[in-house]
Amino acid sequence: MKKPPFHKSVQFTFRGIIWILRNERNFQFHILGLIINLFLIVFLGLSNTETALILLCCFFVLVTETLNTCVEKICDYIQPEFDSRIGIIKDLAGGAVMLATISAISVGALVYWPYLILLFYSL
């Protein structure tokens, strides 16, 4: 099988991103989190390092959510009927998203806390 040209490969990746944006509620929630963080980055005037940390965490959560969706779709294709072994696989993939989210919230709390304290005392 011949590899598609680069521009076609890029089109395929965007097709995947559009699909997950339209079809996966949890991915949409994570995108909302990214938008809120983008607002906070600008509003609070975060440093480049802090901005990089926040964006890295946000995209880490989006990547794990995407991989979780891939695992779930593959499992559903392989075994459409209920199977406890498939359930464990899906739970593990969901657990990865939870760990990424907990990590992102922890980093966000550490980065945003000093700014929020200053904002609170300036009111």
Side-chain angles (χ1 to χ4, degrees):
M1 180 176 186
K2 186 179 170 190
K3 284 187 174 184
F6 179 74
H7 73 280
K8 282 288 188 188
S9 296
V10 172
Q11 283 179 340
F12 297 148
T13 60
F14 278 111
R15 186 174 68 182
I17 293 169
I18 298 294
W19 185 91
I20 199 167
L21 267 169
R22 288 183 176 161
N23 295 288
E24 290 296 318
R25 181 180 40 100
N26 288 340
F27 192 85
Q28 294 165 356
F29 286 139
H30 296 308
I31 289 291
L32 177 61
L34 172 62
I35 292 167
I36 291 168
N37 276 289
L38 290 172
F39 170 78
L40 289 171
I41 287 167
V42 172
F43 180 74
L44 297 174
L46 268 60
S47 72
N48 288 343
T49 303
E50 292 166 330
T51 298
L53 276 171
I54 294 295
L55 292 178
L56 187 63
C57 288
C58 287
F59 282 98
F60 180 55
V61 171
L62 291 171
V63 167
T64 55
E65 184 63 50
T66 302
L67 292 173
N68 177 49
T69 300
C70 291
V71 168
E72 288 181 351
K73 295 297 177 195
I74 291 168
C75 287
D76 291 344
Y77 178 77
I78 291 171
Q79 180 56 272
E81 303 299 319
F82 176 79
D83 185 329
S84 61
R85 296 171 298 181
I86 294 292
I88 293 296
I89 294 168
K90 288 181 172 185
D91 292 347
L92 289 168
V97 177
M98 181 63 77
L99 290 173
T101 302
I102 290 169
S103 172
I105 290 170
S106 300
V107 170
L110 290 170
V111 169
Y112 290 131
W113 184 253
Y115 290 94
L116 296 176
I117 292 297
L118 284 174
L119 188 65
F120 177 75
Y121 282 118
S122 68
L123 294 177

